[in-house]
Amino acid sequence: MRLFAAVMPPQKAVDELREAVEAARDAPPVGQDRPTGHDRLRWTGEAGWHFTLAFMGEVRDPVLPDLYARLARAAHRTDPFPLRIHGSGHFGERALWVGAAGGLDQMRMLAERADAAARRAGIPMDQHRRYTAHLTLARSHGGTDLHPYLEALAGFEGTPWQVGELSLVRSNLPTGGVPGEQPRYEVLEAWPLGA
């Protein structure tokens, strides 16, 4: 199974973000045509909106009981914290994302604990790097000018919510060969934060 630990935004946050993304996609800046390369952006569906904490890749079934126990402990050791979707950013020309504000120190700690839980359960993890809270909105195949979207979303401020659980999510990659088909995400288990 292809797994990752994540914070899932509540429906209200998803609804607010949807409105902002639709406005950014449909309304190019005044005096400009639709941004260059617009058709080369692959937008993620709402079902794929999440804040990844630790990407584990392919995980074998025998590892799951230990992983579940370790993620439960990681969640138990982390108090609930406030979060809101905030601003925008990008990774080069590859990805457009929105960020987060609020309890970022707690979110980084939860990400580190989820990463450590996976390592201790025997899952080979990528090289550790500083966590950047982001929710991916679109990916590019190159040649797409992301700046109009970054500007349109830069001032976005979502309504705060309380993060109350750590989720383990299964990513089901597309198998149909249909252009534009997206992965399906399934929450396998979720653990409440705090004692």
Side-chain angles (χ1 to χ4, degrees):
M1 286 187 277
R2 190 176 170 89
L3 303 179
F4 59 89
V7 166
M8 309 301 284
Q11 190 59 50
K12 181 174 181 169
V14 169
D15 293 343
E16 291 174 347
L17 182 57
R18 179 191 330 106
E19 289 179 21
V21 168
E22 286 173 355
R25 286 176 68 177
D26 296 339
V30 175
Q32 292 185 22
D33 293 328
R34 189 170 291 274
T36 304
H38 175 80
D39 56 346
R40 286 179 280 218
L41 279 178
R42 192 180 76 217
W43 294 87
T44 58
E46 290 174 37
W49 288 353
H50 57 267
F51 289 95
T52 300
L53 298 172
F55 180 76
M56 299 166 201
E58 294 294 331
V59 176
R60 299 179 333 268
D61 286 351
V63 174
L64 292 179
D66 190 29
L67 176 62
Y68 281 22
R70 291 179 183 282
L71 288 174
R73 280 196 295 275
H76 180 76
R77 292 175 45 215
T78 307
D79 289 331
F81 56 90
L83 199 69
R84 71 182 185 278
I85 299 174
H86 163 82
S88 63
H90 63 102
F91 295 125
E93 293 184 352
R94 298 177 296 118
L96 170 69
W97 48 265
V98 288
L104 293 182
D105 288 341
Q106 296 97 319
M107 194 160 173
R108 281 188 196 102
M109 180 61 71
L110 184 59
E112 288 176 14
R113 287 175 174 159
D115 182 270
R119 288 178 193 280
R120 290 183 181 128
I123 298 168
M125 300 293 286
D126 288 337
Q127 183 177 359
H128 185 72
R129 58 180 179 248
R130 182 152 173 85
Y131 178 73
T132 301
H134 69 281
L135 184 156
T136 302
L137 295 175
R139 290 181 177 82
S140 171
H141 296 293
T144 303
D145 181 8
L146 298 178
H147 288 92
Y149 304 108
L150 292 165
E151 290 172 14
L153 293 166
F156 179 74
E157 288 290 336
T159 302
W161 79 89
Q162 193 79 354
V163 175
E165 63 184 23
L166 166 64
S167 296
L168 182 64
V169 182
R170 179 179 184 173
S171 174
N172 299 295
L173 296 177
T175 58
V178 177
E181 187 178 9
Q182 300 200 6
R184 289 181 302 104
Y185 299 101
E186 169 190 4
V187 175
L188 295 180
E189 190 69 51
W191 298 274
L193 300 186

